[in-house]
């Protein structure tokens, strides 16, 4: 036991801690990212579910029902001006409506796509604006769920319609390449930690005790004759 504990050098612990942290932080999205992708067009024919990998151009976009603001708290208690970091849009799917999170720099394109969608629903031309999405379908958190519920009620969704939707879902976007890279770096760091541990462990093998040498009988007998 002591030998194993001594094998956890500082380097082993650092590599192990960072590797495990990267794996834990990215594991859930990593495993979703390697699933076959589902497009927004697919969701008009199959039911959206938590855990889906959603990838493709956004479609069936309707209203922006919420936005997220961020700011920095200063040490003196003041804070920087709030900036919009994300916007949340409603998306129509098979027998339901779900939400899509988009970064602030996609806001103008999403607003244009929303207008084109309404125009198309009124018999106009199909939308031409493209907004690429790559994300994970998840259950909404409590705060977003409350805002989404207010939006549905304001748009005359009945209690029966809302209840039939089941869990409120949202597509949260990620840089899947970055997630995969960080996850794999974590795996490599854990592998390095294991290698260093084994090397340290084997380097502490106890040496075999030296066997005492028996005196040379011929030399002993000669000495006695003198």
């Amino acid at each position: 036991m002591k030998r194993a504990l001594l094998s956890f050098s500082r380097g082993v612990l650092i590599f192990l801690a960072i590797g495990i942290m990267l794996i834990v932080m990215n594991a859930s999205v990593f495993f979703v990212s390697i699933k076959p992708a589902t497009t927004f067009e697919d969701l008009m024919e199959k039911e959206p579910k938590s855990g889906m990998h959603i990838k493709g151009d956004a479609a069936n976009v309707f209203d922006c029902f919420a936005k997220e603001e961020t700011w920095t708290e200063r040490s003196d208690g003041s804070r920087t001006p709030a900036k919009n970091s994300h916007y949340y849009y409603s998306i129509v799917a098979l027998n339901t409506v779900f939400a899509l999170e988009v970064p602030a720099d996609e806001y103008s394109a999403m607003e244009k796509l929303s207008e084109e969608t309404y125009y198309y629903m009124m018999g106009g031309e199909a939308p031409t604006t493209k907004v690429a999405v790559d994300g994970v379908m998840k259950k909404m958190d409590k705060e977003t769920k409350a805002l989404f519920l207010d939006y549905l009620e304001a748009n005359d969704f009945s209690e029966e319609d809302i209840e039939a939707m089941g869990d409120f879902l949202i597509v949260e976007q990620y840089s899947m390449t970055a997630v995969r890279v960080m996850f794999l770096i974590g795996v490599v760091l854990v592998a390095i930690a294991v290698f260093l541990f084994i090397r340290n462990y084997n380097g502490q093998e106890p040496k075999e005790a030296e066997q005492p040498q028996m005196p040379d009988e011929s030399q002993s007998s000669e000495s006695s004759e003198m």
Side-chain angles (χ1 to χ4, degrees):
M1 182 66 178
K2 181 179 178 181
R3 181 179 167 192
L5 292 175
L6 292 174
S7 299
F8 282 102
S9 65
R10 184 179 180 182
V12 170
L13 294 174
I14 291 174
F15 281 120
L16 190 63
I18 297 176
I20 291 175
M21 179 184 69
L22 290 175
I23 290 173
V24 170
M25 289 175 60
N26 296 281
S28 61
V29 178
F30 172 81
F31 288 112
V32 172
S33 75
I34 60 178
K35 289 182 178 181
T38 299
T39 67
F40 287 86
E41 289 75 16
D42 293 335
L43 294 174
M44 295 303 293
E45 299 178 358
K46 65 180 180 180
E47 181 183 357
K49 292 182 180 179
S50 179
M52 280 183 167
H53 179 196
I54 308 298
K55 185 176 182 179
D57 292 327
N60 306 310
V61 177
F62 285 86
D63 304 304
C64 176
F65 67 89
K67 63 182 178 180
E68 181 180 55
E69 295 181 336
T70 58
W71 59 85
T72 301
E73 297 282 351
R74 298 193 179 100
S75 58
D76 61 1
S78 63
R79 69 180 192 181
T80 59
K83 294 182 178 180
N84 296 329
S85 58
H86 293 89
Y87 291 88
Y88 299 87
Y89 283 81
S90 60
I91 308 290
V92 173
L94 178 65
N95 301 323
T96 191
V97 181
F98 64 92
L100 169 65
E101 175 196 73
V102 296
D105 56 6
E106 297 282 8
Y107 175 71
S108 296
M110 286 295 292
E111 284 294 291
K112 186 176 180 181
L113 180 56
S114 175
E115 292 177 4
E116 292 176 355
T117 301
Y118 273 109
Y119 181 67
Y120 178 64
M121 295 295 292
M122 298 297 292
E125 296 180 355
T128 58
T129 300
K130 304 293 183 183
V131 179
V133 173
D134 195 2
V136 179
M137 184 83 75
K138 297 180 177 181
K139 294 180 181 179
M140 287 185 189
D141 59 38
K142 186 176 180 180
E143 183 178 353
T144 308
K145 183 178 179 179
L147 295 171
F148 193 60
L149 180 59
D150 289 343
Y151 164 77
L152 294 175
E153 291 175 344
N155 282 272
D156 299 326
F157 281 79
S158 66
E159 291 184 7
E160 292 76 14
D161 292 335
I162 295 173
E163 187 173 345
M165 291 180 187
D167 294 321
F168 289 166
L169 301 174
I170 183 171
V171 176
E172 295 183 357
Q173 297 198 66
Y174 296 88
S175 171
M176 295 302 186
T177 300
V179 168
R180 295 184 188 112
V181 168
M182 297 304 290
F183 180 85
L184 293 177
I185 289 175
V187 172
V188 170
L189 291 178
V190 170
I192 292 173
V194 172
F195 169 78
L196 294 175
F197 173 82
I198 293 173
R199 189 188 67 175
N200 293 344
Y201 188 86
N202 291 336
Q204 296 183 43
E205 289 184 359
K207 297 181 179 179
E208 295 182 1
E210 295 183 358
Q211 297 293 330
Q213 295 183 352
M214 298 297 292
D216 190 338
E217 293 182 359
S218 60
Q219 291 181 358
S220 177
S221 60
E222 288 178 1
S223 298
S224 61
E225 290 178 357
M226 292 177 61

